[in-house]
């Protein structure tokens, strides 16, 4: 298991604006989520969707959608009349996501795109989620990602960030302490979120894997 964690971390490590390929081991990643959540990954994802406040007719953008599991779970909440779009920097992840959605007969669009340069018009979505994505983005580019999220949301649109947070010494789960996970504290993004145009920022522990959430509304 330790070997798998380090391999997955290595796969996450090479995240720059240029040769940005994202996570290169989609099946390993899915297996890791399953093992780390002890098979409770469905309940974990449902909790995230509860926080997002998804409802029929909502248009959701899932940034860093990975293998599409969360996008597929979200799709079941936004119909009829809603839509789910996923973006990721990893073509390998997107290939798996497209196969999953196709097998399930779901009309979910998956785009190869950088979170700092989203290929969508202003105000296109009702909600944007970043689930364990921003710790992989270089610090200098995180503000760009938040500003892009604000751009594609209308006033009143919701942004949900899920990531690692809090003093490392207080993090109970091993996966929250090491490498880029341990260097990242989600709550340091409160000020950049406000600067990007978000208000009513609230957050706290998710109760899973040492992860926390920040939820905000586009002003």
């Amino acid at each position: 298991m330790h070997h798998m964690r380090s391999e997955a971390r290595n796969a996450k490590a090479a995240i720059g604006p240029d040769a940005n390929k994202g996570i290169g081991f989609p099946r390993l990643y899915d297996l890791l989520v399953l093992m780390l959540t002890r098979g409770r990954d469905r309940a974990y994802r449902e909790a995230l969707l509860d926080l997002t406040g998804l409802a029929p007719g909502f248009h959701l953008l899932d940034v860093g959608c990975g293998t599409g599991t969360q996008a597929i779970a979200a799709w079941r909440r936004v119909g009829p009349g809603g839509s789910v779009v996923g973006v990721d920097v990893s073509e390998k992840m997107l290939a798996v996501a497209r196969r999953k959605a196709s097998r399930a007969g779901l009309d979910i669009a998956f785009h190869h795109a950088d979170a700092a340069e989203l290929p969508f018009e202003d105000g296109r979505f009702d909600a944007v989620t970043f689930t364990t994505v921003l710790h992989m983005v270089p610090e200098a580019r995180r503000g760009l990602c938040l500003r892009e999220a604000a751009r594609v949301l209308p006033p009143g649109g919701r942004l949900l960030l899920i990531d690692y947070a809090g003093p490392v010494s207080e993090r109970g789960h091993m996966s929250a302490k090491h490498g880029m996970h341990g260097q990242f504290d989600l709550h340091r993004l409160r000020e950049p979120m406000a600067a990007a145009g978000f208000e009513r920022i609230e957050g706290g522990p998710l109760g899973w894997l040492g992860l926390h959430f920040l939820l905000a509304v586009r002003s």
Side-chain angles (χ1 to χ4, degrees):
M1 186 60 196
H2 176 73
H3 171 69
M4 287 182 65
R5 281 203 192 115
S6 63
E7 192 170 337
R9 257 205 319 279
N10 292 342
K12 285 185 173 187
I15 301 280
D18 306 319
N20 191 348
K21 297 291 186 288
I23 299 169
F25 306 96
R27 284 188 182 80
L28 175 65
Y29 178 80
D30 273 356
L31 183 62
L32 234 128
V33 169
L34 200 64
M35 292 174 79
L36 290 177
T37 58
R38 295 181 176 83
R40 296 177 300 177
D41 61 313
R42 180 168 294 174
Y44 157 70
R45 292 184 193 286
E46 292 298 329
L48 304 192
L49 299 177
D50 287 343
L51 279 171
T52 314
L54 292 185
F58 264 58
H59 300 285
L60 170 72
L61 175 64
D62 185 16
V63 179
C65 62
T67 62
T69 310
Q70 188 171 314
I72 288 167
W75 190 89
R76 298 191 171 97
R77 291 204 185 190
V78 301
S83 66
V84 176
V85 174
V87 300
D88 205 282
V89 292
S90 165
E91 291 281 19
K92 287 182 179 178
M93 286 291 208
L94 290 168
V96 174
R98 290 183 185 117
R99 281 199 298 274
K100 280 186 189 177
S102 177
R103 279 201 303 269
L106 307 183
D107 182 22
I108 299 174
F110 291 103
H111 297 265
H112 183 243
D114 186 328
E117 295 180 65
L118 295 171
F120 308 109
E121 66 270 24
D122 296 2
R124 160 86 168 73
F125 300 97
D126 300 300
V128 175
T129 57
F130 286 75
T131 304
T132 59
V133 173
L134 285 167
H135 71 263
M136 294 188 287
V137 175
E139 193 169 352
R141 291 172 63 78
R142 288 171 191 157
L144 294 174
C145 297
L146 294 171
R147 285 199 288 279
E148 274 292 87
R151 183 184 66 77
V152 300
L153 285 167
R158 294 160 75 90
L159 172 67
L160 175 67
L161 310 181
I162 304 285
D163 225 306
Y164 300 97
V168 173
S169 60
E170 295 174 16
R171 299 186 188 186
H173 202 280
M174 288 299 288
S175 65
K177 296 185 179 188
H178 296 290
M180 287 189 286
H181 298 183
Q183 295 161 26
F184 184 83
D185 185 348
L186 179 63
H187 295 296
R188 287 205 294 263
L189 291 183
R190 285 172 178 267
E191 283 187 29
M193 284 172 83
F198 290 97
E199 60 185 8
R200 299 188 353 231
I201 301 167
E202 55 184 274
L206 202 59
W208 290 89
L209 311 181
L211 292 168
H212 287 234
F213 74 92
L214 282 179
L215 182 63
V217 175
R218 172 82 164 87
S219 53

